Amino acid sequence: MNGVPEDLIVYEIALVVPKRNLNEENKGYDCVEVLVNEFRNVGLIVERVLGLSDEFIKWLGMGYKVILSRVAYYLSFFQLAAPLETLGRVAAKMQMKKTTHIGIDLQFEWEEIKAFVRQPDGSLFSWCERFQCYRHLIYKIVNKKNSDVTLKFDGKEIQWEAGKSLLQRLELEGIVKQVFPLHDEIKRKKLLRSWALNWWDFTAQPIDEIYAYFGTKIAVYFAFLGMYTRWMIFPATFGLILQLIDFGSLKLLVFPAFFISIVLWAVLFFQFWKRKNSALSARWHLNFSVSTSEGYKLSGREWNSLQPPLELVKNSGIDKTKEKEALQRYEWFGYLKRFRNDVIIILSIICLQLPFELAYAHLYEVLKSDMVKFGLTVVYLLVIQYFTKIGGKISIRLIKHENNENTEYQADSLVYKVFGLYFMQSYIGVFYHALLHRNFMTLRQVLIQRLILYEVLENLVENSLPYLKYSYKKYRAVRNKKKREKGLIGKIQFATRVEKEYLKPTYSASISEELEDGLFDDFLELALQFGMIMMFACAFPLAFAFSALNNIAEMRTDALKLLAMLRRPVPRAAATIGAWLNIFQEGKWKIEPGLAAILVMEHVLLLIKFGFSRFVPEEPAWVRAKRMKNATQAQDMCSKQLLRTISGREKAFGGYIRRKKPDGTNKTQSCRNQ
């Protein structure tokens, strides 16, 4: 085993609660003590840590006056760890599907543990699977009594309703402040040495170790970033040659050759990336499986864009006519809602953002003073950041009314909607200078500003802000400690790592924390960079070289940010880069007006064709539901018997299973008759 031994206790989840005055007589009814006891009852290992003080703002109503005061309090941390057997039994209870040694995904059973394939680091469960088990363990602690249970917290009574989750109830009451994953110090320090601080290997990365520690989505991002940067060496070298060597009259041949090679390079890169993505999915055992509630999926991610709800699938077979009508109604309403939301976003971009962007580009062109241009740019950046945040919030509200059955598809829908805002923000000024004024000197200045200054400043901001936030929270916690304990001399140190983790900021997206994490901003930066260098390659061939250098630094700084400056991110099970692949594969080329008109008409027709193909699905929802039901029944058949066969308890020949009778003779029985 290459990773940490599974019998070693590693605390992976933390809970934060305020410290309270606990009397012995009320100890049995204290809600936090009850929660801790329930954690232990389900097999979790719990460790309590008393942390430094924090503060919150309290509103005090005094008649018509409202007084704002800061109240300081100590925090208690609870670190949770789960033995392998606890995780295995809850995985079986959750009916988790895992890959077996014969390549088939079957429902996990703890007694048949030898039948299942282990992860590349030697562990039985991936970080995504362990996190799902932890969430099931801590949030499925419910009141099993027929009546409510009265609990207490610092003299306050809390009603724990029958059948309700205790942890969710305490979160609603504000008693449990936060629940977050913890860094594994052994693995974290190993990744710091071999990855974040290893600048000599340039694009080499321990992808399997990243997958084991952070989960699928982050590992796929760094695999894409590493491959993208390696492949950029060719166009960067070609562009550097064009910039340094004067080809004279041969420029008429060299630049078209450069442009054609760049287009071919992009096509080949994405084809080989899809191959690499498939290879990673196979290596990490992210194979296709069937689920009654999620349809065909790839490690928790629906393969179909719109699946019928679980209630409709479960009720199938009661009344065929009503079943088809309900599924068709659900399907068409879902597509109409999505179409309505897309129209709202597109009209908002055209009617609101486009005039604003054109006005800024025009003023930047006509103004003569550099100081005035600088001031205009500052105002523009402030306004556009506010506008983008508003657009992100509106998009999230619209997505909540779509029939997306999976959070990853909700995230993809958000990416498509919000990227339009960023596309207009990043490219309209460049198109203005390139197409309207045709001023290549100004165009190159804008490209240098966007590709060099903007990316350097963006990296500085995104890596320095988490450190500044952590430093400020640490300073505030130490200051509160000194205030509460007057006369305390010397430097205050954090006793445990869970206190440090609590003060670190989360890996969140700039637009929203509901559907996307920090990967949104990282992918957005790459997508905008790719569009810039592809569309204006001939105007500024050095763009590839600058982008390659930026991406090499981006790999290490992003790794350092994740390992040292932020909390451990919540794992996401999506095994592809999702909507970003479609965004990356868009391109624009400079052509003659006549050919442009033909291609515009062709693209309009293709867009109409694509729209109808997306709007009118090839397969009705009721057919999908019936296929899912039949496929699930077929897969569940013989699964337990097959697990015993893989584990070595019985031998199977040609689809038949040979058992021993009580008298010692053999009995052969078909697997299909089990």
Side-chain angles (χ1 to χ4, degrees):
M1 185 182 298
N2 298 325
V4 179
E6 291 184 305
D7 56 351
L8 182 66
I9 296 177
V10 179
Y11 294 102
E12 297 183 295
I13 302 294
L15 279 80
V16 185
V17 299
K19 186 179 181 297
R20 69 271 184 220
N21 298 321
L22 185 62
N23 300 324
E24 287 295 330
E25 57 183 14
N26 296 328
K27 190 173 182 180
Y29 298 96
D30 182 78
C31 60
V32 177
E33 293 298 321
V34 172
L35 181 64
V36 171
N37 291 332
E38 292 291 341
F39 284 161
R40 293 191 173 113
N41 291 338
V42 297
L44 291 173
I45 301 172
V46 184
E47 182 183 63
R48 190 193 310 259
V49 177
L50 178 62
L52 294 175
S53 63
D54 202 348
E55 63 182 19
F56 66 94
I57 298 175
K58 186 177 181 180
W59 297 84
L60 302 175
M62 302 290 184
Y64 62 91
K65 295 182 179 180
V66 177
I67 300 176
L68 185 65
S69 64
R70 292 185 179 271
V71 181
Y73 59 91
Y74 277 97
L75 297 174
S76 292
F77 300 95
F78 293 94
Q79 301 180 115
L80 305 180
L84 179 61
E85 183 175 355
T86 300
L87 294 176
R89 295 196 180 280
V90 75
K93 185 178 180 181
M94 294 169 59
Q95 299 181 351
M96 184 181 292
K97 298 289 182 68
K98 286 186 65 63
T99 305
T100 60
H101 288 289
I102 61 174
I104 300 177
D105 285 0
L106 295 178
Q107 183 176 317
F108 181 80
E109 291 189 15
W110 172 249
E111 290 75 13
E112 310 295 340
I113 186 174
K114 294 182 180 179
F116 296 95
V117 177
R118 289 182 172 264
Q119 299 297 315
D121 65 342
S123 58
L124 179 62
F125 296 104
S126 66
W127 169 229
C128 294
E129 293 168 338
R130 294 201 309 277
F131 186 79
Q132 292 175 16
C133 292
Y134 274 112
R135 286 190 60 86
H136 184 88
L137 284 168
I138 64 179
Y139 280 100
K140 292 298 181 180
I141 297 175
V142 298
N143 182 7
K144 298 180 180 179
K145 297 181 180 180
N146 296 326
S147 59
D148 296 352
V149 176
T150 301
L151 302 176
K152 295 183 178 180
F153 184 84
D154 272 349
K156 177 183 177 182
E157 290 190 352
I158 299 169
Q159 296 298 320
W160 183 17
E161 297 89 350
K164 298 297 183 179
S165 170
L166 177 57
L167 182 57
Q168 288 182 347
R169 178 61 178 166
L170 298 184
E171 286 180 330
L172 290 175
E173 292 290 337
I175 297 173
V176 175
K177 300 295 181 182
Q178 294 184 27
V179 180
F180 57 91
L182 289 171
H183 278 289
D184 183 339
E185 284 300 291
I186 297 177
K187 294 181 179 179
R188 188 183 72 88
K189 291 179 179 178
K190 182 181 178 182
L191 281 173
L192 275 173
R193 292 190 300 268
S194 63
W195 179 33
L197 302 178
N198 184 15
W199 289 84
W200 295 105
D201 290 339
F202 294 105
T203 60
Q205 301 178 100
I207 295 298
D208 288 337
E209 287 79 3
I210 298 171
Y211 161 73
Y213 191 73
F214 288 113
T216 310
K217 189 74 173 183
I218 290 180
V220 168
Y221 162 73
F222 281 103
F224 178 84
L225 177 59
M227 183 175 175
Y228 173 54
T229 306
R230 285 193 298 272
W231 274 64
M232 199 174 284
I233 294 175
F234 164 71
T237 305
F238 202 160
L240 192 62
I241 293 173
L242 288 178
Q243 190 72 27
L244 297 178
I245 300 177
D246 185 10
F247 288 93
S249 60
L250 293 178
K251 282 185 178 180
L252 297 176
L253 297 176
V254 175
F255 275 90
F258 174 65
F259 178 72
I260 293 173
S261 65
I262 293 304
V263 174
L264 295 176
W265 168 84
V267 172
L268 286 175
F269 165 70
F270 285 111
Q271 288 302 116
F272 277 92
W273 162 248
K274 293 174 186 176
R275 290 171 56 87
K276 183 177 180 61
N277 200 174
S278 299
L280 291 175
S281 299
R283 193 162 77 211
W284 298 336
H285 313 300
L286 306 176
N287 297 320
F288 292 99
S289 60
V290 177
S291 171
T292 56
S293 62
E294 295 176 338
Y296 292 95
K297 64 179 183 176
L298 186 59
S299 183
R301 174 191 175 93
E302 281 98 352
W303 194 247
N304 295 314
S305 60
L306 187 61
Q307 294 291 349
L310 181 61
E311 302 82 37
L312 296 180
V313 178
K314 285 184 176 180
N315 295 331
S316 61
I318 299 176
D319 189 328
K320 295 296 182 182
T321 304
K322 292 183 178 180
E323 172 196 347
K324 292 181 181 179
E325 291 178 355
L327 289 170
Q328 289 176 348
R329 185 165 52 251
Y330 175 84
E331 179 183 26
W332 285 106
F333 272 127
Y335 283 108
L336 287 173
K337 289 178 180 178
R338 184 174 299 176
F339 178 75
R340 177 204 62 188
N341 295 344
D342 292 341
V343 169
I344 292 174
I345 295 297
I346 292 173
L347 290 178
S348 300
I349 292 174
I350 295 175
C351 300
L352 298 178
Q353 190 178 10
L354 181 59
F356 176 76
E357 297 287 348
L358 289 175
Y360 165 72
H362 177 71
L363 288 175
Y364 190 89
E365 180 70 26
V366 299
L367 290 175
K368 303 300 182 182
S369 173
D370 292 337
M371 291 297 296
V372 177
K373 287 184 178 180
F374 178 78
L376 177 66
T377 303
V378 171
V379 174
Y380 162 77
L381 291 176
L382 292 175
V383 173
I384 203 64
Q385 290 295 327
Y386 182 73
F387 183 83
T388 305
K389 288 183 179 181
I390 293 177
K393 292 180 180 179
I394 294 174
S395 299
I396 290 173
R397 289 188 178 183
L398 293 174
I399 290 169
K400 288 181 178 179
H401 296 285
E402 295 180 355
N403 294 338
N404 292 306
E405 296 298 322
N406 185 284
T407 54
E408 287 299 328
Y409 268 95
Q410 289 179 338
D412 286 350
S413 182
L414 178 65
V415 168
Y416 286 127
K417 290 176 174 60
V418 178
F419 181 76
L421 304 176
Y422 282 97
F423 180 89
M424 193 69 65
Q425 170 190 341
S426 301
Y427 295 140
I428 192 64
V430 184
F431 284 131
Y432 181 85
H433 295 295
L435 301 179
L436 185 60
H437 291 279
R438 298 186 181 182
N439 188 339
F440 275 86
M441 292 301 297
T442 307
L443 175 60
R444 287 196 175 190
Q445 291 178 1
V446 173
L447 290 174
I448 292 173
Q449 174 186 342
R450 296 294 176 93
L451 289 172
I452 301 177
L453 298 178
Y454 177 78
E455 290 191 350
V456 171
L457 292 176
E458 184 73 19
N459 285 332
L460 289 175
V461 170
E462 75 176 38
N463 289 287
S464 59
L465 275 182
Y467 177 75
L468 294 175
K469 289 180 180 179
Y470 169 70
S471 300
Y472 174 71
K473 288 184 178 180
K474 183 179 177 181
Y475 163 77
R476 193 178 63 179
V478 173
R479 183 195 61 185
N480 292 335
K481 174 76 172 180
K482 290 182 178 180
K483 283 184 178 181
R484 289 178 63 90
E485 300 181 12
K486 295 181 179 180
L488 191 63
I489 301 174
K491 186 177 181 181
I492 298 178
Q493 298 287 345
F494 291 102
T496 60
R497 65 184 178 90
V498 67
E499 298 176 67
K500 298 180 181 179
E501 298 294 322
Y502 170 71
L503 297 177
K504 291 180 179 179
T506 58
Y507 186 51
S508 58
S510 59
I511 55 170
S512 169
E513 298 182 8
E514 297 183 53
L515 299 176
E516 275 288 349
D517 54 19
L519 284 177
F520 174 86
D521 298 295
D522 294 330
F523 271 121
L524 176 66
E525 185 179 347
L526 286 181
L528 295 176
Q529 178 200 91
F530 180 80
M532 198 75 69
I533 61 179
M534 286 299 298
M535 288 187 285
F536 303 99
C538 291
F540 189 47
L542 272 181
F544 287 95
F546 288 126
S547 298
L549 293 175
N550 174 79
N551 292 348
I552 291 173
E554 183 83 14
M555 275 188 288
R556 307 304 169 185
T557 55
D558 283 353
L560 189 63
K561 176 180 65 177
L562 286 169
L563 290 169
M565 302 179 190
L566 300 174
R567 290 181 186 175
R568 191 176 186 180
V570 173
R572 296 172 60 185
T576 67
I577 63 175
W580 292 109
L581 183 62
N582 295 330
I583 291 174
F584 271 105
Q585 293 183 107
E586 293 178 0
K588 298 184 182 292
W589 297 271
K590 182 180 178 182
I591 48 181
E592 294 300 323
L595 183 58
I598 297 174
L599 288 181
V600 166
M601 294 174 60
E602 177 196 18
H603 278 67
V604 169
L605 294 175
L606 288 176
L607 183 62
I608 295 174
K609 180 260 180 188
F610 175 76
F612 278 117
S613 65
R614 293 282 294 175
F615 187 74
V616 183
E618 298 178 358
E619 186 180 45
W622 66 270
V623 175
R624 268 203 310 274
K626 184 176 180 181
R627 174 168 52 78
M628 289 162 50
K629 179 181 177 182
N630 295 337
T632 303
Q633 292 175 349
Q635 185 180 11
D636 290 342
M637 191 179 298
C638 292
S639 61
K640 291 187 177 181
Q641 188 64 53
L642 188 56
L643 280 177
R644 298 192 192 100
T645 303
I646 301 171
S647 300
R649 297 188 182 184
E650 298 174 353
K651 295 182 178 180
F653 299 93
Y656 291 86
I657 298 174
R658 185 167 295 175
R659 290 196 178 98
K660 290 287 185 180
K661 289 185 177 180
D663 57 0
T665 60
N666 292 329
K667 176 186 177 182
T668 303
Q669 185 175 358
S670 172
C671 179
R672 293 182 291 272
N673 297 327
Q674 295 296 315

